Amino acid sequence: MSAAPPPALAKKGHSHRRPLSLTTRLAILFALMAATLLLGVGILLERAVDSHFDELDAYDLDAKMAVIGHLIETTDDEEALELLPRRLKDAFAGHENLAVLLRDADRVVVFGTRLSSFEPEQLTGPVVGGTERVWVRDGRHFVSRLREFQLPLPEAPTLHAALALDITHHVHFLDELRIRLWFGVSVAAAFAALLGWLAARQGLAPLTRVTATARRLSAEQLGQRISLHDAPAEVRELAEAFNEMLDRLEASFRRLSDFSADIAHELRTPVSNLMTETQVALTRARSAEDYRETLHSNLEEFDRLARMISDMLFLAKADNGLLPRPAEVVTLRAEAQALLEFYEALAEEQGVRLRLRGEASVVGDRLMLRQAISNLLSNALRHTAAGNTVEIEISRGKNQAILKVCNPGAVIPADRLPLLFDRFHRADDSRSGRGEGAGLGLAITRSIVETHGGHVEVQSADGFTTFSLHLPLGPSLPFHGRQGAG
């Protein structure tokens, strides 16, 4: 058994061939199309000319055969029969491209002119039937016509007439036409290939710019864009899609950079507090109660750090599609009612009333949906002044359940609304009056809702801000509990 060749040698025999560029392919396609079209037209033209020459030759032979027939038909006595060769000679004088052969049934030549044009067997052999024959003799091309004639005399023999027409000039013309046709097709194909290459190169120039732009891109240089002023319609769509992709990439990198900066900022505050309090506690000896207070204060900062890290891990799982997807039926009213009871004490302390109405059921994870509603409710309580009411309204739409959390307060500018669900984003100072947060609650809410196949909307106008959760509708279940709080 022979050993297998080394990989290096095996690959050497099958070298990778670089594929042809799109410009070259289009140029070849242009050339093939032009050559095919011109070749087809040339073949039709050649056949038309050839058919025309055949018609001319047939007409010429028929005309000359008609002359012979007329002379034979007028040979009605012995004297005319003797004068027939002379009359034929006079009739065909000056026809240099025509050979005439007239024989009787015994192969005796009655009249002949330019007999060297005929083939030997045509001169000495038996009379061959048929009306037309083509041959080449001494480099010249001939076509013949045969016909029988009966002399109008008693017991007159049958005469066989043969005409040989020299068509060499026609053949030479067709040969020259073919040569010029092939030359013209070749030149036209080359010219079409050149034009196709130029047109393709010009038309695909935006693709070259796309390549150049892509090579210049980096995380620090995402501001490059492709010019569309001279791009054709087909390439314009690609260029526009490429520019839109760059817009999304630039926005994503900007958000990632802001996110990293926000993480550093958010983590720095509790870490700084922990270090400061610990350093102060270590400056001198203290009582057990003082140390206990310091530990309680540090515990609050640790709890804040733990919540922040837990929230970031949750969002990381959501980004990578790692959140659980249980399919249990969740009654939104029951979850909202439980949260109202949880926040009831805080609401009473702030002088805020809570109200719940409507009901609907969805399919999903109960704990995640409760967390999403809790984030909206705590956000609403944090930004609602005393004496006002936070409302939770649940309704059924077309194939979806809608849960709205509405609270009165300062109106958020329209250009800020899309940013509310960004990580670490906080509204303006007018909406951050009480409490602290890392700015991850609304981002988590959006991730939970999108994981359940829904979406989140927010509206702020006329002194009210409303967050709406749109979730796929599930089967209806009866709810037994309190109808609201207030």
Side-chain angles (χ1 to χ4, degrees):
M1 180 181 296
S2 60
L9 295 178
K11 293 181 180 179
K12 186 176 180 181
H14 302 278
S15 59
H16 178 68
R17 296 181 61 185
R18 185 177 182 181
L20 296 177
S21 66
L22 185 57
T23 302
T24 303
R25 295 181 186 182
L26 289 175
I28 294 175
L29 179 61
F30 271 59
L32 290 177
M33 291 178 61
T36 302
L37 179 61
L38 292 175
L39 188 60
V41 173
I43 291 175
L44 291 177
L45 177 62
E46 178 191 356
R47 291 184 177 179
V49 173
D50 192 16
S51 177
H52 177 66
F53 284 161
D54 289 342
E55 292 177 0
L56 291 178
D57 296 339
Y59 177 80
D60 201 5
L61 288 171
D62 289 340
K64 299 303 185 288
M65 195 63 77
V67 171
I68 295 175
H70 175 71
L71 294 177
I72 293 177
E73 288 176 359
T74 56
T75 306
D76 52 1
D77 54 30
E78 294 297 333
E79 183 179 357
L81 182 59
E82 294 178 359
L83 294 176
L84 179 59
R86 183 177 178 181
R87 295 169 63 194
L88 288 171
K89 182 178 180 180
D90 294 339
F92 292 101
H95 294 274
E96 300 296 334
N97 62 335
L98 186 66
V100 182
L101 174 62
L102 188 63
R103 296 191 302 172
D104 58 17
D106 296 328
R107 307 179 192 175
V108 177
V109 177
V110 177
F111 174 77
T113 179
R114 300 179 184 84
L115 298 181
S116 59
S117 300
F118 292 97
E119 294 181 305
E121 60 269 18
Q122 292 177 302
L123 297 174
T124 61
V127 177
V128 181
T131 59
E132 185 172 325
R133 184 179 178 187
V134 179
W135 70 93
V136 179
R137 185 171 177 79
D138 297 332
R140 305 191 68 82
H141 297 259
F142 296 91
V143 61
S144 68
R145 185 65 55 86
L146 306 176
R147 188 170 297 177
E148 292 183 355
F149 295 98
Q150 188 68 39
L151 285 168
L153 294 173
E155 300 180 359
T158 300
L159 300 180
H160 299 272
L163 295 180
L165 182 64
D166 189 348
I167 59 171
T168 304
H169 58 293
H170 291 171
V171 175
H172 287 173
F173 179 84
L174 290 175
D175 291 341
E176 186 69 19
L177 178 63
R178 292 189 188 96
I179 294 174
R180 295 188 179 185
L181 175 63
W182 282 108
F183 178 76
V185 168
S186 302
V187 173
F191 188 66
L194 177 60
L195 288 180
W197 186 84
L198 292 175
R201 183 178 178 83
Q202 181 66 24
L204 298 177
L207 290 181
T208 305
R209 293 198 293 270
V210 170
T211 303
T213 302
R215 288 175 176 170
R216 292 194 300 268
L217 289 177
S218 65
E220 294 77 21
Q221 293 183 347
L222 289 174
Q224 301 287 335
R225 295 298 182 271
I226 302 171
S227 175
L228 303 176
H229 71 278
D230 61 343
E234 297 81 3
V235 180
R236 178 181 293 271
E237 295 181 2
L238 174 62
E240 289 176 349
F242 191 80
N243 286 341
E244 291 172 0
M245 180 193 69
L246 291 179
D247 291 337
R248 292 192 297 270
L249 282 177
E250 187 175 15
S252 298
F253 271 94
R254 188 183 301 111
R255 286 195 299 269
L256 181 61
S257 177
D258 295 342
F259 181 61
S260 301
D262 290 335
I263 289 178
H265 175 74
E266 294 295 335
L267 293 178
R268 182 179 60 183
T269 300
V271 171
S272 177
N273 292 341
L274 287 170
M275 292 180 62
T276 300
E277 292 181 1
T278 303
Q279 289 172 352
V280 170
L282 294 175
T283 54
R284 60 183 176 84
R286 299 179 182 274
S287 64
E289 185 65 26
D290 291 337
Y291 284 122
R292 188 177 295 108
E293 290 181 2
T294 300
L295 290 176
H296 276 296
S297 177
N298 288 351
L299 182 61
E300 293 179 358
E301 297 298 336
F302 282 126
D303 182 64
R304 180 180 176 186
L305 279 173
R307 289 198 308 269
M308 190 183 307
I309 294 173
S310 177
D311 290 344
M312 288 188 293
L313 288 175
F314 183 92
L315 291 173
K317 290 181 179 180
D319 290 342
N320 292 277
L322 300 178
L323 293 181
R325 298 174 182 266
E328 58 178 320
V329 179
V330 180
T331 304
L332 294 180
R333 183 177 180 85
E335 302 305 319
Q337 183 66 60
L339 289 171
L340 289 183
E341 294 174 357
F342 177 79
Y343 283 104
E344 188 172 10
L346 177 61
E348 290 180 356
E349 180 182 346
Q350 297 181 187
V352 176
R353 294 182 297 275
L354 303 177
R355 183 175 301 163
L356 170 65
R357 57 182 176 179
E359 62 179 68
S361 299
V362 298
V363 176
D365 184 274
R366 184 185 306 275
L367 295 180
M368 286 199 297
L369 290 174
R370 178 176 290 192
Q371 182 180 1
I373 302 173
S374 176
N375 290 341
L376 295 183
L377 187 56
S378 64
N379 182 72
L381 286 173
R382 191 161 55 247
H383 302 121
T384 301
N388 293 308
T389 301
V390 174
E391 293 189 3
I392 299 180
E393 179 182 354
I394 305 173
S395 61
R396 295 171 177 266
K398 185 178 180 181
N399 300 323
Q400 65 178 353
I402 304 173
L403 185 147
K404 296 182 179 180
V405 178
C406 178
N407 69 280
V411 175
I412 304 175
D415 59 336
R416 300 287 298 275
L417 292 178
L419 304 177
L420 293 179
F421 298 98
D422 289 349
R423 301 170 188 184
F424 296 113
H425 178 80
R426 294 185 179 87
D428 55 16
D429 294 338
S430 63
R431 285 188 61 88
S432 57
R434 289 182 299 276
E436 291 187 32
L440 296 175
L442 294 180
I444 291 175
T445 298
R446 180 177 63 179
S447 296
I448 292 174
V449 174
E450 290 179 351
T451 299
H452 285 76
H455 65 279
V456 184
E457 295 179 356
V458 59
Q459 295 177 344
S460 186
D462 301 326
F464 289 89
T465 298
T466 303
F467 288 86
S468 302
L469 307 185
H470 297 256
L471 297 163
L473 195 62
S476 299
L477 292 179
F479 169 73
H480 304 285
R482 291 168 48 182
Q483 296 300 309

PDB file of all heavy atoms in Angstrom, residues 195-210:
ATOM      1  N   LEU A 195     -16.217  47.972 -23.378  1.00  0.00           N
ATOM      2  CA  LEU A 195     -17.298  48.843 -22.904  1.00  0.00           C
ATOM      3  C   LEU A 195     -17.950  48.259 -21.648  1.00  0.00           C
ATOM      4  O   LEU A 195     -18.274  48.989 -20.706  1.00  0.00           O
ATOM      5  CB  LEU A 195     -18.343  49.030 -24.004  1.00  0.00           C
ATOM      6  CG  LEU A 195     -17.934  49.901 -25.194  1.00  0.00           C
ATOM      7  CD1 LEU A 195     -19.076  49.996 -26.185  1.00  0.00           C
ATOM      8  CD2 LEU A 195     -17.520  51.297 -24.736  1.00  0.00           C
ATOM      9  N   GLY A 196     -18.166  46.922 -21.668  1.00  0.00           N
ATOM     10  CA  GLY A 196     -18.749  46.291 -20.491  1.00  0.00           C
ATOM     11  C   GLY A 196     -17.861  46.428 -19.267  1.00  0.00           C
ATOM     12  O   GLY A 196     -18.350  46.672 -18.159  1.00  0.00           O
ATOM     13  N   TRP A 197     -16.554  46.285 -19.466  1.00  0.00           N
ATOM     14  CA  TRP A 197     -15.634  46.435 -18.349  1.00  0.00           C
ATOM     15  C   TRP A 197     -15.671  47.861 -17.803  1.00  0.00           C
ATOM     16  O   TRP A 197     -15.707  48.062 -16.582  1.00  0.00           O
ATOM     17  CB  TRP A 197     -14.227  46.078 -18.810  1.00  0.00           C
ATOM     18  CG  TRP A 197     -13.214  46.062 -17.707  1.00  0.00           C
ATOM     19  CD1 TRP A 197     -12.943  45.046 -16.841  1.00  0.00           C
ATOM     20  CD2 TRP A 197     -12.345  47.135 -17.340  1.00  0.00           C
ATOM     21  NE1 TRP A 197     -11.963  45.398 -15.960  1.00  0.00           N
ATOM     22  CE2 TRP A 197     -11.572  46.684 -16.239  1.00  0.00           C
ATOM     23  CE3 TRP A 197     -12.146  48.425 -17.829  1.00  0.00           C
ATOM     24  CZ2 TRP A 197     -10.623  47.486 -15.627  1.00  0.00           C
ATOM     25  CZ3 TRP A 197     -11.199  49.226 -17.217  1.00  0.00           C
ATOM     26  CH2 TRP A 197     -10.438  48.752 -16.137  1.00  0.00           C
ATOM     27  N   LEU A 198     -15.663  48.843 -18.712  1.00  0.00           N
ATOM     28  CA  LEU A 198     -15.708  50.239 -18.270  1.00  0.00           C
ATOM     29  C   LEU A 198     -17.018  50.547 -17.558  1.00  0.00           C
ATOM     30  O   LEU A 198     -17.039  51.208 -16.510  1.00  0.00           O
ATOM     31  CB  LEU A 198     -15.519  51.167 -19.472  1.00  0.00           C
ATOM     32  CG  LEU A 198     -14.131  51.145 -20.136  1.00  0.00           C
ATOM     33  CD1 LEU A 198     -14.126  52.023 -21.378  1.00  0.00           C
ATOM     34  CD2 LEU A 198     -13.055  51.605 -19.151  1.00  0.00           C
ATOM     35  N   ALA A 199     -18.145  50.062 -18.159  1.00  0.00           N
ATOM     36  CA  ALA A 199     -19.453  50.322 -17.551  1.00  0.00           C
ATOM     37  C   ALA A 199     -19.564  49.643 -16.186  1.00  0.00           C
ATOM     38  O   ALA A 199     -20.062  50.230 -15.223  1.00  0.00           O
ATOM     39  CB  ALA A 199     -20.568  49.837 -18.483  1.00  0.00           C
ATOM     40  N   ALA A 200     -19.099  48.391 -16.111  1.00  0.00           N
ATOM     41  CA  ALA A 200     -19.162  47.672 -14.838  1.00  0.00           C
ATOM     42  C   ALA A 200     -18.264  48.332 -13.791  1.00  0.00           C
ATOM     43  O   ALA A 200     -18.645  48.459 -12.625  1.00  0.00           O
ATOM     44  CB  ALA A 200     -18.769  46.215 -15.042  1.00  0.00           C
ATOM     45  N   ARG A 201     -17.082  48.742 -14.220  1.00  0.00           N
ATOM     46  CA  ARG A 201     -16.165  49.381 -13.281  1.00  0.00           C
ATOM     47  C   ARG A 201     -16.753  50.685 -12.756  1.00  0.00           C
ATOM     48  O   ARG A 201     -16.664  50.986 -11.563  1.00  0.00           O
ATOM     49  CB  ARG A 201     -14.822  49.629 -13.962  1.00  0.00           C
ATOM     50  CG  ARG A 201     -13.766  50.238 -13.041  1.00  0.00           C
ATOM     51  CD  ARG A 201     -12.442  50.400 -13.775  1.00  0.00           C
ATOM     52  NE  ARG A 201     -11.441  51.015 -12.943  1.00  0.00           N
ATOM     53  CZ  ARG A 201     -10.693  50.371 -12.055  1.00  0.00           C
ATOM     54  NH1 ARG A 201     -10.843  49.070 -11.905  1.00  0.00           N
ATOM     55  NH2 ARG A 201      -9.793  51.003 -11.329  1.00  0.00           N
ATOM     56  N   GLN A 202     -17.373  51.453 -13.669  1.00  0.00           N
ATOM     57  CA  GLN A 202     -17.979  52.706 -13.254  1.00  0.00           C
ATOM     58  C   GLN A 202     -19.185  52.451 -12.353  1.00  0.00           C
ATOM     59  O   GLN A 202     -19.394  53.126 -11.341  1.00  0.00           O
ATOM     60  CB  GLN A 202     -18.396  53.526 -14.486  1.00  0.00           C
ATOM     61  CG  GLN A 202     -19.022  54.879 -14.155  1.00  0.00           C
ATOM     62  CD  GLN A 202     -18.028  55.835 -13.512  1.00  0.00           C
ATOM     63  OE1 GLN A 202     -16.827  55.687 -13.695  1.00  0.00           O
ATOM     64  NE2 GLN A 202     -18.540  56.816 -12.773  1.00  0.00           N
ATOM     65  N   GLY A 203     -20.012  51.456 -12.767  1.00  0.00           N
ATOM     66  CA  GLY A 203     -21.209  51.168 -11.983  1.00  0.00           C
ATOM     67  C   GLY A 203     -20.908  50.568 -10.630  1.00  0.00           C
ATOM     68  O   GLY A 203     -21.661  50.772  -9.675  1.00  0.00           O
ATOM     69  N   LEU A 204     -19.819  49.806 -10.533  1.00  0.00           N
ATOM     70  CA  LEU A 204     -19.468  49.162  -9.269  1.00  0.00           C
ATOM     71  C   LEU A 204     -18.472  49.968  -8.449  1.00  0.00           C
ATOM     72  O   LEU A 204     -17.949  49.472  -7.451  1.00  0.00           O
ATOM     73  CB  LEU A 204     -18.885  47.767  -9.541  1.00  0.00           C
ATOM     74  CG  LEU A 204     -19.831  46.778 -10.229  1.00  0.00           C
ATOM     75  CD1 LEU A 204     -19.107  45.470 -10.504  1.00  0.00           C
ATOM     76  CD2 LEU A 204     -21.063  46.528  -9.373  1.00  0.00           C
ATOM     77  N   ALA A 205     -18.218  51.194  -8.884  1.00  0.00           N
ATOM     78  CA  ALA A 205     -17.290  52.032  -8.117  1.00  0.00           C
ATOM     79  C   ALA A 205     -17.741  52.216  -6.669  1.00  0.00           C
ATOM     80  O   ALA A 205     -16.902  52.211  -5.756  1.00  0.00           O
ATOM     81  CB  ALA A 205     -17.139  53.398  -8.809  1.00  0.00           C
ATOM     82  N   PRO A 206     -19.079  52.372  -6.416  1.00  0.00           N
ATOM     83  CA  PRO A 206     -19.485  52.467  -5.003  1.00  0.00           C
ATOM     84  C   PRO A 206     -19.100  51.241  -4.184  1.00  0.00           C
ATOM     85  O   PRO A 206     -18.827  51.348  -2.986  1.00  0.00           O
ATOM     86  CB  PRO A 206     -21.010  52.618  -5.090  1.00  0.00           C
ATOM     87  CG  PRO A 206     -21.246  53.243  -6.421  1.00  0.00           C
ATOM     88  CD  PRO A 206     -20.205  52.650  -7.321  1.00  0.00           C
ATOM     89  N   LEU A 207     -19.071  50.045  -4.809  1.00  0.00           N
ATOM     90  CA  LEU A 207     -18.645  48.854  -4.069  1.00  0.00           C
ATOM     91  C   LEU A 207     -17.177  48.971  -3.664  1.00  0.00           C
ATOM     92  O   LEU A 207     -16.785  48.527  -2.582  1.00  0.00           O
ATOM     93  CB  LEU A 207     -18.861  47.602  -4.924  1.00  0.00           C
ATOM     94  CG  LEU A 207     -20.308  47.195  -5.173  1.00  0.00           C
ATOM     95  CD1 LEU A 207     -20.353  45.925  -6.006  1.00  0.00           C
ATOM     96  CD2 LEU A 207     -21.042  46.998  -3.864  1.00  0.00           C
ATOM     97  N   THR A 208     -16.378  49.557  -4.567  1.00  0.00           N
ATOM     98  CA  THR A 208     -14.975  49.786  -4.221  1.00  0.00           C
ATOM     99  C   THR A 208     -14.865  50.730  -3.035  1.00  0.00           C
ATOM    100  O   THR A 208     -14.029  50.541  -2.141  1.00  0.00           O
ATOM    101  CB  THR A 208     -14.222  50.358  -5.432  1.00  0.00           C
ATOM    102  OG1 THR A 208     -14.393  49.485  -6.558  1.00  0.00           O
ATOM    103  CG2 THR A 208     -12.747  50.523  -5.135  1.00  0.00           C
ATOM    104  N   ARG A 209     -15.744  51.739  -3.043  1.00  0.00           N
ATOM    105  CA  ARG A 209     -15.735  52.667  -1.905  1.00  0.00           C
ATOM    106  C   ARG A 209     -16.201  51.974  -0.626  1.00  0.00           C
ATOM    107  O   ARG A 209     -15.738  52.294   0.469  1.00  0.00           O
ATOM    108  CB  ARG A 209     -16.608  53.880  -2.221  1.00  0.00           C
ATOM    109  CG  ARG A 209     -16.043  54.749  -3.332  1.00  0.00           C
ATOM    110  CD  ARG A 209     -16.677  56.130  -3.311  1.00  0.00           C
ATOM    111  NE  ARG A 209     -18.090  56.079  -3.653  1.00  0.00           N
ATOM    112  CZ  ARG A 209     -18.562  56.193  -4.882  1.00  0.00           C
ATOM    113  NH1 ARG A 209     -17.724  56.352  -5.902  1.00  0.00           N
ATOM    114  NH2 ARG A 209     -19.849  56.164  -5.125  1.00  0.00           N
ATOM    115  N   VAL A 210     -17.142  51.028  -0.768  1.00  0.00           N
ATOM    116  CA  VAL A 210     -17.577  50.259   0.404  1.00  0.00           C
ATOM    117  C   VAL A 210     -16.392  49.492   0.987  1.00  0.00           C
ATOM    118  O   VAL A 210     -16.171  49.482   2.207  1.00  0.00           O
ATOM    119  CB  VAL A 210     -18.715  49.281   0.025  1.00  0.00           C
ATOM    120  CG1 VAL A 210     -18.989  48.321   1.176  1.00  0.00           C
ATOM    121  CG2 VAL A 210     -19.979  50.048  -0.317  1.00  0.00           C
TER     122      VAL A 210
END
